[in-house]
Amino acid sequence: MKLVSFNVNGIRAILQKDFIRDFNNLDADIFFIGESKFSEDIHLDFPFAPENYFTYWTVSKLKKGYSGVTVFSKKEPLSIHYGLKDEKYDEEGRIITLEFDNFYFVGAYVPNAGDGLKRLDFRMQYEDDLLDYLKELDSKKPLIYTGDLNVAHKEIDLKNPETNRHNPGFTDEERNKFSRLLANGFKDTFRELYPEEVKYSWWSYRMNARAKDVGWRIDYFIVSDRLMEKVKDAKIHNDIYGSDHCPVELDIDL
């Protein structure tokens, strides 16, 4: 089974580029889109409807052109849930969970701590709520958690760790929450398979960062510990453009 996660930084914008070609070439069984920025009435159709996929999506109810996540799945799930427990954070359109026979798929666009870390407290509460939610799911069946998680966990995960300390995505608080997540029964698939590999999934639009490969690895596939033995590969497709992120992939025997 192939799963792909891609923060597209605006679905309408990326549809004007090579996204449909890349989507077809990747041919994922489940394809998750983060930061769709789709702000039309939620009852209208999503602007991309690939054949042979079930489509599930949610938008920000607070601000137009903000956040939003979508999942395309070749197999119809048993159930779909939006937000965390009691739909928390769905007002910002951040999380979708699909339940299948033998696993849960959770796709998220994690809140950024913001300029001046003005949303760091909000982010910390999200991480606490997220862990509770994932542990509850994991007690029922194993799970796969993916998306733009907005944190570079280790120094190897960004080009310039020294100059980015205490910046959003590389604060001690965010990194410690990620460490806590892994300590509670989950694995970072790419780092488990490639402990020393330097590869990034996001680059600033400033200073020609992508051409210079001055990036961050902030897009992940996290799995329950007991699924790690089923993981065949974890990839970062940094040759695919169209967004300030690139797609990440998980190949797993499910």
Side-chain angles (χ1 to χ4, degrees), residues 187-203:
K187 292 284 192 294
D188 172 358
T189 57
F190 181 83
R191 194 53 71 207
E192 287 291 318
L193 295 177
Y194 305 106
E196 304 298 329
E197 185 164 351
V198 175
K199 209 165 186 180
Y200 307 125
S201 66
W202 174 81
W203 304 261

Side-chain angles (χ1 to χ4, degrees), residues 29-133:
D29 295 288
I30 301 175
F31 197 114
F32 172 75
I33 285 178
E35 204 172 1
S36 68
K37 297 184 178 179
F38 183 53
S39 56
E40 300 294 338
D41 187 290
I42 197 166
H43 299 294
L44 298 179
D45 290 336
F46 195 72
F48 177 57
E51 292 185 3
N52 303 316
Y53 283 90
F54 296 93
T55 303
Y56 307 97
W57 51 282
T58 185
V59 301
S60 171
K61 290 79 173 171
L62 302 178
K63 184 164 59 174
K64 288 188 174 183
Y66 176 73
S67 191
V69 293
T70 304
V71 180
F72 306 102
S73 176
K74 288 183 177 179
K75 182 177 180 180
E76 187 173 13
L78 301 176
S79 66
I80 308 99
H81 178 78
Y82 299 94
L84 297 181
K85 190 173 182 180
D86 299 322
E87 291 77 45
K88 192 170 185 181
Y89 304 102
D90 191 48
E91 71 277 4
E92 293 195 358
R94 292 198 173 273
I95 309 108
I96 293 180
T97 301
L98 273 57
E99 180 186 5
F100 296 95
D101 290 333
N102 55 352
F103 72 102
Y104 289 100
F105 177 92
V106 182
Y109 172 47
V110 171
N112 190 294
D115 294 339
L117 303 180
K118 61 187 177 184
R119 292 199 97 196
L120 183 60
D121 289 345
F122 180 83
R123 168 67 181 270
M124 294 296 97
Q125 185 61 57
Y126 168 87
E127 296 291 350
D128 291 343
D129 294 337
L130 169 79
L131 183 59
D132 289 344
Y133 179 71

